[in-house]
């Protein structure tokens, strides 16, 4: 993950540059940037971002009929979870299960903590040499809002800049164009 930069002037990629990418890593990175703006540490934000994207994919997959909800009986669900374990964190309009570890807050997936280093590798693989540039653009957008307003607007903002893909099952896993110039323009207006 790139360090936070005060401006984009050091970037060598033109502002109008678009990249072809799937929506999942875009939402993951955006949720990481939002979580950082809301005050979470880097490793905490990485796990929260991955969880947000996973929850989003799960609900979209169910909507499209790709995933089917599991049926868990209430008695068994209560027996498996001890009272007071974990808590919920809201990021980008998603309620993320998390718990505190010795290293800080970690979002969970299937009741296991998400590894922040794994999320870093995932983002590095998906964005390649464009990661720093995309992260800088997203940071600029996040900083254009107070943390409170960003908490309210994070997902609607994502919906405005996310890559366009075909609707329905045809779009599942498809790549679209992420317009970095659009993200930067969104940072200059708050409509």
């Amino acid at each position: 993950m790139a360090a936070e930069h005060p401006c984009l002037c050091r970037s060598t990629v033109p502002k109008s540059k678009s990249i072809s990418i799937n929506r999942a890593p875009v939402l993951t990175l955006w949720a990481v940037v939002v979580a950082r703006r809301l005050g979470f540490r880097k490793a905490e934000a990485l796990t929260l971002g991955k969880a947000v994207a996973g929850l989003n994919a799960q609900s979209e997959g169910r909507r499209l009929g790709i995933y089917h909800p599991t049926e868990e009986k209430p008695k068994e669900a209560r027996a498996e979870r001890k009272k007071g374990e974990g808590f919920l964190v809201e990021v980008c309009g998603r309620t993320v299960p998390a718990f505190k570890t010795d290293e800080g807050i970690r979002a969970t997936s299937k009741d296991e903590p998400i590894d922040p280093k794994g999320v870093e590798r995932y983002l590095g693989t998906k964005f390649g040499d464009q990661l720093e540039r995309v992260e800088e653009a997203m940071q600029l957008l996040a900083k254009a809002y107070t943390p409170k307003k960003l908490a309210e607007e994070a997902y609607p903002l994502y919906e405005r800049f996310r890559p366009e893909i075909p609707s329905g099952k045809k779009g599942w896993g498809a790549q679209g164009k992420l317009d970095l110039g659009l993200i930067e323009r969104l940072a200059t207006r708050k409509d």
Side-chain angles (χ1 to χ4, degrees), residues 10-148:
R10 297 188 305 181
S11 180
T12 59
V13 179
K15 284 188 177 191
S16 62
K17 180 76 174 171
S18 292
I19 63 170
S20 184
I21 192 162
N22 180 286
R23 284 183 175 177
V26 173
L27 180 55
T28 301
L29 183 58
W30 175 239
V32 169
V33 168
V34 169
R36 290 289 306 222
R37 179 77 172 119
L38 298 179
F40 290 94
R41 294 184 203 134
K42 180 181 174 182
E44 295 170 340
L46 285 163
T47 69
L48 291 167
K50 186 66 172 173
V52 165
L55 290 168
N56 204 64
Q58 187 70 20
S59 66
E60 183 66 8
R62 285 182 182 169
R63 186 185 70 77
L64 295 172
I66 295 168
Y67 297 135
H68 302 285
T70 59
E71 291 185 31
E72 186 171 31
K73 294 183 169 77
K75 185 176 179 181
E76 286 80 11
R78 282 188 207 98
E80 291 175 12
R81 290 165 186 81
K82 294 182 176 79
K83 187 176 180 179
E85 285 185 343
F87 53 93
L88 300 173
V89 177
E90 187 169 326
V91 178
C92 291
R94 290 281 178 195
T95 304
V96 177
F99 61 88
K100 188 174 181 180
T101 69
D102 292 337
E103 293 81 33
I105 295 168
R106 296 293 181 267
T108 62
S109 176
K110 298 179 183 174
D111 295 326
E112 293 295 322
I114 295 172
D115 175 25
K117 289 180 177 150
V119 181
E120 279 187 312
R121 286 189 301 274
Y122 166 77
L123 291 172
T125 299
K126 296 298 181 180
F127 285 98
D129 62 359
Q130 296 297 312
L131 178 58
E132 184 175 337
R133 173 75 173 96
V134 176
E135 186 175 12
E136 286 175 341
M138 288 181 177
Q139 287 171 352
L140 182 68
L141 178 55
K143 288 177 183 178
Y145 291 81
T146 64
K148 182 180 180 189

Side-chain angles (χ1 to χ4, degrees), residues 138-177:
M138 288 181 177
Q139 287 171 352
L140 182 68
L141 178 55
K143 288 177 183 178
Y145 291 81
T146 64
K148 182 180 180 189
K149 187 70 172 169
L150 182 62
E152 296 169 8
E153 297 295 324
Y155 198 80
L157 283 167
Y158 164 72
E159 289 178 316
R160 291 177 69 184
F161 69 74
R162 69 186 176 190
E164 289 296 321
I165 58 169
S167 61
K169 288 184 180 181
K170 289 186 289 185
W172 187 258
Q175 292 191 346
K177 296 290 182 191

